[in-house]
Amino acid sequence: MKDIATPVGIVVGLVIIVAANVLEGGNPMSLLLLPPILLVLGTTVMVTVAGGTMVDAKAAVGNVKRAISGSVEPADTLVPQVVTLAERARREGLLALEDSLREIDDPFLVKGVTMAIDGTDPEDVRDILEAELRAKKRDDKQAAKFFSDAGGYAPTIGIIGTVMGLVHVLENLATPEELGHLIAGAFVATLWGVMSANVIWLPIASRLKRLGELECARMEVAIEGVAAIQAGANPRLVAEKLRSLLPTGTAEQEAA
């Protein structure tokens, strides 16, 4: 099931901003000026790309989709699966787990158990899985950094847009009747810079960071589960060990 916290939060946040503008007697259309929007959003994206690599830029497209519609199964859902595998391995041996892999939908756990079945040394299995975990953490850190950087650039670019607008205002001092409209338009750039940073870019960065934490927590449970299965540990002890890796509230709920 998809987690819609990010799209709901961003959309409702924008609706509240528009509603507040209307309640103050403003016209929402006065905020939808194409030049400042294009300047702030377009330049923010480009300078963020300039601060990284094209690989980062291409990955950002997929990360937006991941932030909006992505979801992660809680780590506690792995515990019963690992315990079941541990029970069967203890009774019938590791080779008997081959048939059970078809019922597991976690590729990382399947990979670890498959290496165990193939007779890979436990230390090598742990090293390989932990290396994949470290790589995952690096990728997640970079994914969140791209949008954090965008959130840092956007307000400053908004100020640049406002300065440009004020320069245009000074060029039209001879026409006082237009000054109010021009000044208001100039400050729309600052509005979009601050708003996009705090309502769009930074929430997406935080979302990606949180998804990464949840995915890595699940991977850590899988790593310890595979190690326990290879060691032939008592299934009850395996369950207790894995629950100890879960957040306190989650562990208590799982135990209940």
Side-chain angles (χ1 to χ4, degrees), residues 4-244:
I4 59 173
T6 296
V8 168
I10 291 177
V11 171
V12 174
L14 291 173
V15 169
I16 292 173
I17 291 173
V18 172
N21 178 258
V22 172
L23 291 173
E24 290 180 348
N27 181 1
M29 296 307 297
S30 65
L31 306 180
L32 299 177
L33 301 179
L34 183 58
I37 293 175
L38 180 62
L39 171 70
V40 172
L41 298 185
T43 307
T44 295
V45 171
M46 288 298 98
V47 297
T48 304
V49 170
T53 67
M54 290 306 298
V55 173
D56 297 334
K58 293 176 182 178
V61 177
N63 285 326
V64 170
K65 181 179 179 181
R66 177 182 169 216
I68 292 174
S69 61
S71 62
V72 179
E73 286 292 324
D76 61 279
T77 60
L78 273 187
V79 176
Q81 298 180 54
V82 173
V83 171
T84 299
L85 293 174
E87 289 174 345
R88 186 169 185 183
R90 192 175 173 86
R91 291 195 313 266
E92 306 173 30
L94 286 174
L95 292 178
L97 299 183
E98 194 165 358
D99 294 336
S100 301
L101 295 182
R102 301 188 185 93
E103 303 172 4
I104 300 175
D105 58 1
D106 187 291
F108 189 72
L109 178 59
V110 169
K111 179 178 180 178
V113 174
T114 299
M115 287 191 292
I117 294 173
D118 291 341
T120 307
D121 185 80
E123 291 187 4
D124 291 336
V125 172
R126 178 178 286 275
D127 287 343
I128 292 171
L129 297 181
E130 288 183 345
E132 189 168 331
L133 174 61
R134 289 192 296 271
K136 169 69 174 168
K137 289 181 177 180
R138 287 195 299 269
D139 290 342
D140 291 339
K141 181 178 179 180
Q142 180 55 43
K145 181 180 182 298
F146 185 92
F147 294 96
S148 294
D149 289 347
Y153 293 132
T156 303
I157 293 171
I159 294 173
I160 293 173
T162 296
V163 173
M164 291 171 59
L166 292 177
V167 169
H168 188 48
V169 169
L170 295 176
E171 292 175 344
N172 289 272
L173 291 179
T175 54
E177 66 277 5
E178 296 184 11
L179 293 183
H181 174 72
L182 291 174
I183 292 173
F187 282 101
V188 169
T190 295
L191 171 65
W192 274 95
V194 175
M195 183 171 66
S196 64
N198 293 280
V199 182
I200 301 176
W201 305 123
L202 294 180
I204 289 177
S206 296
R207 165 74 164 184
L208 290 172
K209 181 179 179 181
R210 180 56 179 156
L211 288 177
E213 290 173 348
L214 293 174
E215 290 169 351
C216 289
R218 188 176 173 89
M219 292 170 74
E220 288 171 355
V221 169
I223 291 172
E224 295 303 326
V226 171
I229 290 171
Q230 278 193 287
N234 185 303
R236 183 175 300 177
L237 295 179
V238 173
E240 290 299 324
K241 182 176 182 179
L242 297 185
R243 290 190 187 111
S244 70

